């Protein structure tokens, strides 16, 4: 931890997307507590102002920009605006996410494009925009909030899972491509988490709190872990899926509607034949 969170050097800003609530808010607070100036990005200016005020009152440094990160162009423009606003950025945490919470067959092409825009294209573009800066300064972090759905079936959320799998593959390859540059690449893969995005879903699975995910993310940065899966139940699900993929799929197909958040409702909304 001393190398990356230690004393004796000026820290650059840590940019956090989806920072106005839930996991993003928890990440902002946790990184600020570790001594980093944090820069939040989200659509809700009121919430961003509230979080930054709380951090400043605790002695931290915080700033924000309101932005709708749903397209690659928006992400590219945001990177330019952040450079103008704060100067040196030391890390980028891509956390913003969106799920339509329905069966794939019920999605429109616009729904599919929207999910991939928020969950993959915009974060990938933002990372791409800052990589040259981080490499030039020889130090930095690219950090992703992925999803357990990238590795295990999660019916009722197929397009969301596909977009998170794309982000997972990007991070896995970036960790190799950027090895030796001083830029660390880390990702946390949370399972079902109690957030504004999930509050309307009926769920019977154990659910993580945003603070647990934020703590796992900080541990991933601190220990330079490629991937961290918070929660014993989530790690067990991932392990069982890897060891017994056929049996895991069969179990999900048989019982998924009873415990996968939103799946039963999605089946009820199935498009007519």
């Amino acid at each position: 931890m001393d190398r990356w969170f230690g004393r004796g050097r000026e820290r650059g800003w840590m940019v956090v997307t989806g920072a106005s609530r839930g996991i993003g808010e928890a990440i902002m607070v946790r990184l600020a507590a570790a001594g980093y100036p944090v820069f939040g990005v989200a659509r809700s200016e009121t919430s961003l102002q509230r979080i930054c005020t709380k951090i400043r009152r605790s002695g931290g440094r915080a700033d924000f920009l309101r932005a709708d990160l749903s397209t690659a162009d928006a992400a590219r423009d945001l990177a330019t605006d952040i450079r103008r606003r704060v100067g040196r950025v030391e890390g980028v945490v891509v956390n913003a996410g969106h799920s339509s919470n329905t069966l794939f067959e019920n999605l429109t092409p616009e729904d599919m494009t929207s999910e991939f825009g928020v969950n993959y294209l915009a974060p990938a573009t933002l990372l791409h925009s800052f990589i040259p800066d981080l490499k030039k300064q020889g130090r930095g972090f690219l950090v992703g909030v992925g999803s357990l759905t990238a590795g295990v079936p999660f019916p009722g959320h197929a397009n969301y899972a596909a977009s998170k799998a794309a982000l997972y593959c990007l991070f896995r390859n970036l960790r190799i491509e950027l090895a030796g540059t001083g830029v660390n690449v880390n990702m946390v893969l949370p399972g079902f988490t109690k957030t504004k995005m999930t509050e309307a879903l009926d769920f019977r699975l154990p659910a993580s709190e945003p603070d647990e995910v934020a703590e796992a993310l900080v541990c991933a940065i601190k220990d330079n872990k490629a991937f961290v899966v918070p929660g014993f139940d989530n790690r067990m699900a991932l392990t069982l899926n890897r060891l017994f993929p056929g049996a895991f799929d069969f179990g999900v197909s048989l019982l998924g509607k009873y415990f996968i958040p939103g799946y039963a409702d999605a089946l009820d909304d199935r498009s007519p034949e």
Side-chain angles (χ1 to χ4, degrees), residues 41-43 65-71 73-75 78 118 122:
V41 179
R43 291 179 296 176
L65 273 176
R66 181 189 177 279
D68 183 357
L69 281 182
S70 57
T71 66
D73 288 342
L78 174 66
V118 174

Side-chain angles (χ1 to χ4, degrees), residues 6 9 13 17 72 80 90 112 114 138 146 162 165 167 169 173 175 212 215 217 228 235 243 254 262 269:
R9 66 176 180 83
W13 288 79
T17 69
T80 300
E90 187 160 334
M112 290 185 273
S114 175
L167 191 66
C169 289
N173 284 280
R175 187 169 172 91
E212 296 176 63
E215 180 63 27
L217 182 140
V228 172
R235 292 191 292 273
L243 293 175
L254 190 66
D269 295 335

Side-chain angles (χ1 to χ4, degrees), residues 126-210:
L126 191 64
L127 298 175
H128 184 269
S129 297
F130 280 108
I131 283 174
D133 300 348
L134 300 181
K135 288 178 65 177
K136 185 176 180 179
Q137 66 195 31
R139 178 190 294 274
F141 311 97
L142 300 178
V143 189
V145 177
S147 171
L148 193 68
T149 63
V152 301
F154 207 67
H157 309 266
N159 197 66
Y160 171 82
S163 65
K164 287 296 189 176
L167 191 66
Y168 167 84
C169 289
L170 175 66
F171 268 76
R172 188 169 182 180
N173 284 280
L174 282 180
R175 187 169 172 91
I176 297 171
E177 292 183 7
L178 294 174
T181 65
V183 180
N184 286 3
V185 180
N186 318 104
M187 176 172 265
V188 62
L189 297 167
F192 190 72
T193 307
K194 296 176 185 176
T195 67
K196 193 74 173 177
M197 189 177 80
T198 63
E199 68 179 4
L201 298 176
D202 181 28
F203 65 93
R204 296 174 179 85
L205 289 172
S208 299
E209 295 290 343

Side-chain angles (χ1 to χ4, degrees), residues 14-19 24 27-28 31 38-42 91-95:
M14 296 288 279
V15 176
V16 182
T17 69
I27 291 169
M28 288 273 286
L31 287 174
V38 289
F39 193 98
V41 179
V92 181
V93 181
V94 288
N95 165 68

Side-chain angles (χ1 to χ4, degrees), residues 229-251:
V229 179
F232 173 80
D233 53 321
N234 294 323
R235 292 191 292 273
M236 181 60 67
L238 190 61
T239 299
L240 290 174
N241 179 69
R242 287 173 175 169
L243 293 175
F244 312 106
F248 196 94
D249 286 1
F250 177 74

Side-chain angles (χ1 to χ4, degrees), residues 5 14 18 37 46 76 93 99 108 143 173 185 206 236 257 260:
F5 282 61
M14 296 288 279
T46 302
R76 193 176 299 113
V93 181
S99 177
T108 66
V143 189
N173 284 280
V185 180
M236 181 60 67
K257 64 182 178 181
I260 290 181

